[in-house]
Each structure stands twice: as structure tokens, then as C-alpha cells.
Amino acid sequence: FFKKFYARRFLKIFPLYYLILTFAFLIVPLFNHSRLDKWAGVESSWYWLFLSNYYIGFKGRFQHGLVDLSWSLSIEEQFYLFWPFIVYYLNPKNILKVSIFGILFSLILRIVMKTNGVSDLAIHLNTFSRLDGLCLGAILALGHRGLVKIPKISEIPVYLGVIPLLIHYILVMNTTPIATFLRSTLSYTLVALTFAYFFMKVISGDKSLFNNPALIKIGKYSYGIYLTHNPIASILRPYFKNIFEDSFNIPFVAYLIQLSYSATVLVLSLSISFFIFHSFEKHFLKLKKNFEY
């Protein structure tokens, strides 16, 4: 059980991630770029060991524009270290109880951290304060396999699925102290609930925007998009920034520059992810057939 789980996760996560780290820490420094001095002192070992979320939290700011997004991948990998033991040793009902506990624990921990003056960044990056989405995913997995009973997606009105996200955006737009407090504590759970609803729509099999064939096709390259879009954005940002500053006082032109920057990052991310998937990633994924459950 454990061999199969960790082998499958390794083949999915490690090869492409380590390829990106090799690019960021070993290849990019060989070239001349305006931001290299800023990234020069970064301790790469935290990234190789999937601990970048804590490294960034300790430093109090993001450290490396090419690989800082790995903080969320680090949380995922740390979760994978212990969750298989929960699944292996507990029955479905107790897994459900542990999952519910994890959601409540994260929410309470964020409240305690915020009340005691912990920075929003540290709250954002701490593994134990970010268990909401992971534990909700575990609950969906139990329900999808019929191991526990959860509401059918058809029984949940659309507004109940979307309202948590709307509340989150109301909090984001509000600058009052209570809104700021809730944004650092409750908002994480609200966003997780909405995306759990979206995910239920996907796996339900019902025809909808969420299981559109085009989106599913893009989804095949989503891991590559996740890992490459930030490096692409960081490398291109200085060049577009110079153009933007020159045109800042011309609103429509400035907007077009911003739009072209986003579009360029999107197109390059999709293109590079497509190339990486077919030339590199899929060859590791094929090996998962040796570790079927």
C-alpha cells in the first residue's frame, strides 16, 4: 500500500518539480538577468526538501521569483507524508472524523495565530493552518467511493456552493478591522468550501462548464502550468514593467500593456507545459502502471 502510494506520488510530483529547480538554481544563474542579485542568497535546500513554505515564512517575504510558488506544493507533500497512515489504519468513518477535525483545527489555529500577532504571510504558508482544502478533498474522496454518505451535488443549490466565495470577496473588498481579521481566518475555509463544490460538479459526471472537454484537456497540462507560469512571469516582468512605466499616464495603453503581459505569460505557460508534458513528464507518468492499486 505505502510503496504504491509513494511511488505514484513520486512519479507525478518529483521529476518535473526537480527539473524546474535545476533550471532555477543551476541554469538561470549562468545568464545575466536584472533580478539575479536578489535571488543570489536564497538557500535552495529548503526548496529541494519541500520546506519552502516554512523558509519563506521564517524570512517574512517571498524569496525567489522562479520557485516561490512551490510553497503550496510543499504543503501538499508534507500532507502526503502522514495522510496514507490515516487511510491505512482507520476505517472510513474515523477518516471522516479526522478530516472534519483537520478543517476545524486549521480554522481555530488561524484564529489563535492572528489573535497573537502572527503575520498574514506566516498564516498563509503554515501547513497546519492550510488543512481545510486537503481535508475537504479527503471527504470528497470518501464520498465518491461510497465509503461515507455525503450530499449529492444535485441536492446542493448552486447559490450554496457559490455564496462562500462571494462572502470571501466581500471581505477582500472591505478594509474594516473585522473584515481583515476574517479574511485571515475564515476566508480560507470559505474558499475551500466553494472549490469543493466545484470539484463535486466535475466528478459528478453532469454536463457543465466544469467538465468541459477543453478544460479537461488543459487540465492534463495543469501541473506544468502551475510550475512554469511563475518563472515565466518573473523573467518577463522587468521588461514589461519598463514599458508600463513609460505609458503609465496613458490609461488605455497601460491597460493594454497589462493585458498583453498576462496573455504572453498564459500562452507561453500553455506552450511550454504542452512541450514538457510530451517530451518529459508523460514518460514518468507511464511508469505508474507498475504501481497500480
Side-chain angles (χ1 to χ4, degrees), residues 203-222:
I203 63 177
S204 69
D206 297 338
K207 281 193 173 183
S208 70
L209 168 68
F210 304 106
N211 50 28
N212 179 281
L215 288 180
I216 293 172
K217 185 73 173 177
I218 293 173
K220 188 163 77 170
Y221 311 112
S222 60

Side-chain angles (χ1 to χ4, degrees), residues 41-234:
V42 173
E43 298 175 33
S44 64
S45 58
W46 293 83
Y47 295 86
W48 294 99
L49 295 173
F50 292 99
L51 293 171
S52 61
N53 60 320
Y54 288 110
Y55 177 60
I56 297 166
F58 293 150
K59 292 291 186 177
R61 63 179 180 84
F62 288 103
Q63 297 293 304
H64 198 296
L66 300 186
V67 288
D68 271 343
L69 197 64
S70 66
W71 69 265
S72 56
L73 188 60
S74 296
I75 290 175
E76 182 181 324
E77 290 305 296
Q78 291 159 30
F79 178 78
Y80 285 151
L81 281 178
F82 74 86
W83 193 254
F85 294 91
I86 301 292
V87 173
Y88 188 79
Y89 289 109
L90 299 183
N91 62 45
K93 287 186 178 179
N94 285 331
I95 296 173
L96 176 63
K97 291 177 182 177
V98 171
S99 300
I100 294 171
F101 172 80
I103 295 168
L104 295 175
F105 175 81
S106 278
L107 176 58
I108 294 170
L109 178 61
R110 289 195 298 269
I111 292 171
V112 171
M113 293 172 77
K114 185 67 176 177
T115 303
N116 285 275
V118 177
S119 70
D120 289 343
L121 181 64
I123 293 172
H124 188 68
L125 300 175
N126 189 292
T127 301
F128 296 100
S129 63
R130 299 304 305 272
L131 294 176
D132 313 48
L134 294 161
C135 288
L136 272 169
I139 293 172
L140 292 186
L142 291 169
H144 183 60
R145 288 164 174 77
L147 299 174
V148 299
K149 185 174 177 57
I150 63 173
K152 294 180 179 179
I153 190 67
S154 58
E155 298 172 352
I156 304 175
V158 174
Y159 67 86
L160 284 182
V162 177
I163 279 178
L165 192 63
L166 294 177
I167 295 173
H168 163 68
Y169 279 115
I170 290 171
L171 294 175
V172 168
M173 300 299 291
N174 200 316
T175 57
T176 61
I178 185 63
T180 303
F181 181 84
L182 291 175
R183 191 164 61 241
S184 300
T185 53
L186 180 62
S187 268
Y188 290 100
T189 306
L190 295 174
V191 173
L193 284 169
T194 293
F195 279 91
Y197 174 79
F198 290 162
F199 193 75
M200 287 176 70
K201 292 288 286 184
V202 172
I203 63 177
S204 69
D206 297 338
K207 281 193 173 183
S208 70
L209 168 68
F210 304 106
N211 50 28
N212 179 281
L215 288 180
I216 293 172
K217 185 73 173 177
I218 293 173
K220 188 163 77 170
Y221 311 112
S222 60
Y223 184 46
I225 295 169
Y226 160 76
L227 286 174
T228 60
H229 83 273
N230 214 45
I232 292 168
S234 292

